[in-house]
Amino acid sequence: MFYSPALSARKRALLSDTADAAQSAAPAVSHVHQMRNLQIEALAEFAPLLAAASTLSAFVITLVLSGRVAMPILASWTILVVAFNWLAMRRLQATAFEHIARPASAIVIVESSIGVAIAAAIWVSIPAAVFADQIPEIRVLLAGAISAMLCGALAIAVAPLAASAWALTLSVGLAAALWMSGASKFAIAEGTLLVFDAAFVLAVVRRFAGLADKQIRRASEELRQSQMLSSLMHEYEEHGTSWLWQTDEANRLHYVSPQIAMLLNKPTSNLIGQPLPALFGGSTALGEAMLAQAGFDSVDIELSSAGARRWLAIAGNAIHDRSGQFRGFRGTATDITETRSSERRLRNLARLDVLTGLPNRLHIRELLGQALEQAQANNVPCAILFLDLDGFKPVNDTFGHPQGDAVLQTVAQRLVETVGDQGIVGRLGGDEFAIVLGDAQSRKRVFELADRLIARVTEPYALDAVSVRIGLSIGCAFGPIDGNSVDDLLKKADLALYDAKAQGRGTCRTFDPRLAQEAEDRVRLETDLADALKGNQFRLLYQPLVDAQTQEVTGFEALLRWQHPGRGFVSPTVFVPVAEEAGLIGDIGEWVVRTACRDAASWPEPITVAVNLSPLQLLAPGLPGMIGDALAKSRLAANRLELEVTESVFLNDSTATLDVLKRLRALGVRIALDDFGTGYSSLGYLNRTIFNKLKIDGSFVRGAATRPETVSIIQAIVTLANCFQMTITAEGVESHEDYRRMAELGCHQIQGYLFGRPLPFERATELVGTRWEQRAAG
């Protein structure tokens, strides 16, 4: 800087107080006003120096001119110089004081410059006036004194107008003196020096003024940016979730935001100078990061604040000087408590079932993993129970999903209450639940718990003033006895549940190695089934249907058989359920329909063919289209095709099933209800004109020989079927007595080994148009 003000302590204090007030109450002044204030301050600061120089030089000139100029004139001049300089100095200081906190106007600068010019004029007046009358030596002295005073303009160069006024006034005075002294060599030389001297001083003043203006502009911009940055940082610290800190090379705090002090419940002054890691409980992670003397990101620290746990993320950048020496850290501290809480809530939600609030499948896996580790460590078995609700789907379909959800919530509550502290209940999804038992050393206790669970779940549920019941099947696996991993135990429990379902539901089954073998067999059977259809391993056998009165063959029932190349004959009771589970029943069923239609088309009318349909096939909306296509391609009349369904089709989605059956009936095919009376009550569907035929199960036929009540049931079924104009077929007729009894009870058709076992197509064709009496006689 070319100028460094040195105001008095009182003046500096007032300047600081007023400036602070001005910063908060008014916008920053422009660099022009700052430049003017600096000029006023420079004039005030150097006024005593110029006054002293003027006074001292006035005394010297008075002493030199004494005896050559009248003393009263010299004395008056000296007094005037001293008095005016003292008054001008006080005036400039007062003006500078007035403009500490407010910008100076251009008029103030002009007035001050005029005062400087007057001071210079008063001082140069006597030396210039008596210059011509003096001897050369005195002239040289006077010219030198004026030239020396001319350099005083350099002291106030920061105020170019005042400095120029001072220099020009003195130059004019000396020029006038030289002019009045005549064109002597001395005058010419002195004039030449005066021109160079004045030009040099003015050039320096202009240069100083330009440099000062640049520095003022730069300082103004730096101040503006600093104020803006300070405001932004204040706003950031005041309203943001991150705060600032800075340490020295020993990691001691040099600066810290007040918010951190509030968080630590300590005064800011107590934090300054303390090691940063020590303030956060001696965090090892933070200490290691700072010891590396390199930047680090997001060191998470947990601390206690006002009785609550808070989390901060500390990040810092290393500070190095120009020589590369480490000088500390500057960084931020961010409150991430809410973020941590949100993450924890999300993790909990990801591990809980939304409907019931129980642990979900993911969490159950974690809990089972922990239980298995404890079991292996303590040599105490654990257990996993898989629970599946029996009969829940009809309830859900009948009453709607909201009521179904309410049932699931009630089931969850009953399970939790029953299990208590013996284990943890979770929901796997849908109507499947699971229970993890940490202590399953007593299998008796596990089985007793399973019995209580089944009894509790099967208690009635009130839905829309209607009491409904559902059942519960349980599969159980013990770890590490049945498996050493979570996946293995879950698989074993699932196999046990499958076995419980197969055993009639409403029971608990434990894993048996036999189940694993059966599961592997099912997997291989699935693969073989897919190959069987491609490899032409299936064939149809036809069992005759005989008119009960004439004993004439009126049709055949197509029965599917599988001759496996390695296993040999595989029973339909074995492979059909597997095909249904594997999703192959649709393709296999289509092959059966098309083959049966093609074979029946070669028989004369009105010989019919009956084909059994799986309940899963009836859920396929495309079934009627496939049946129609098979009839069209085989050119078989629709009324010669019978489709047999069992009562189990009404256990699931009865609405969709009825829709498909009606569409099939619309094609003209006949619909038969097979095994009537042995399954789900279907009397309510008989009056919907869907079925053309009822087939009485063989168990009723055989029971009629020994139980009169069975005969009454058959009579009721025949009466009911006749009311709806349905054909009655008696299955499982194996003796003459069975045949006679069924014919007397009113059955229209007879089917059973008495009239023929299932036959290949060629042999079945030979029976067309024959009577059983003829075959028996032959």
Side-chain angles (χ1 to χ4, degrees), residues 544-555 605-607 739 748-750 755 767-775:
L545 298 170
V546 177
D547 185 281
Q549 300 302 321
T550 65
Q551 299 182 4
E552 184 178 354
V553 175
T554 60
E605 294 187 8
I607 302 300
Y739 162 67
H748 304 114
Q749 282 184 332
I750 305 296
F755 294 98
L767 297 181
V768 174
T770 66
R771 294 183 180 182
W772 180 77
E773 288 181 345
Q774 297 173 345
R775 297 197 309 275

Side-chain angles (χ1 to χ4, degrees), residues 79 314 548 624 680 729:
I79 293 172
I314 310 297
Y680 185 81
T729 299

Side-chain angles (χ1 to χ4, degrees), residues 3 108 128 143 203 208 264 369 437 448 529 543 547 573 600 623 632 673 699:
Y3 165 66
V108 174
F208 271 36
L264 295 173
L437 302 179
E448 289 175 348
L529 272 173
Q543 187 173 24
D547 185 281
T573 59
L623 178 64
L673 185 57
S699 61

Side-chain angles (χ1 to χ4, degrees), residues 503-517:
Q503 296 301 320
R505 305 169 185 265
T507 185
C508 174
R509 307 290 291 184
T510 59
F511 172 75
D512 187 283
R514 166 186 59 84
L515 300 178
Q517 183 62 44

Side-chain angles (χ1 to χ4, degrees), residues 307-374:
R309 305 304 297 176
R310 310 292 296 181
W311 281 91
L312 295 181
I314 310 297
N317 290 323
I319 305 173
H320 297 87
D321 57 20
R322 292 184 178 180
S323 63
Q325 192 72 20
F326 173 72
R327 294 302 180 187
F329 285 98
R330 184 182 296 116
T332 61
T334 304
D335 190 338
I336 59 171
T337 305
E338 289 300 323
T339 302
R340 281 268 184 161
S341 300
S342 298
E343 291 175 351
R344 184 169 57 253
R345 286 194 295 269
L346 289 175
R347 284 196 300 269
N348 290 337
L349 287 175
R351 298 161 71 241
L352 293 179
D353 176 60
V354 177
L355 179 63
T356 62
L358 298 176
N360 60 12
R361 182 181 294 271
L362 173 64
H363 198 185
I364 284 293
R365 289 181 60 89
E366 295 174 352
L367 294 172
L368 180 58
Q370 297 169 7
L372 186 58
E373 289 180 2
Q374 291 294 323

Side-chain angles (χ1 to χ4, degrees), residues 441-477:
Q441 190 164 11
S442 172
R443 295 207 173 193
K444 180 181 178 182
R445 289 189 63 199
V446 175
F447 296 146
E448 289 175 348
L449 173 63
D451 292 338
R452 293 198 306 272
L453 290 169
I454 293 173
R456 187 76 174 94
V457 170
T458 54
E459 293 177 3
Y461 301 82
L463 296 179
D464 294 337
V466 178
S467 180
V468 298
R469 291 179 180 272
I470 57 178
L472 182 67
S473 297
I474 302 176
C476 179

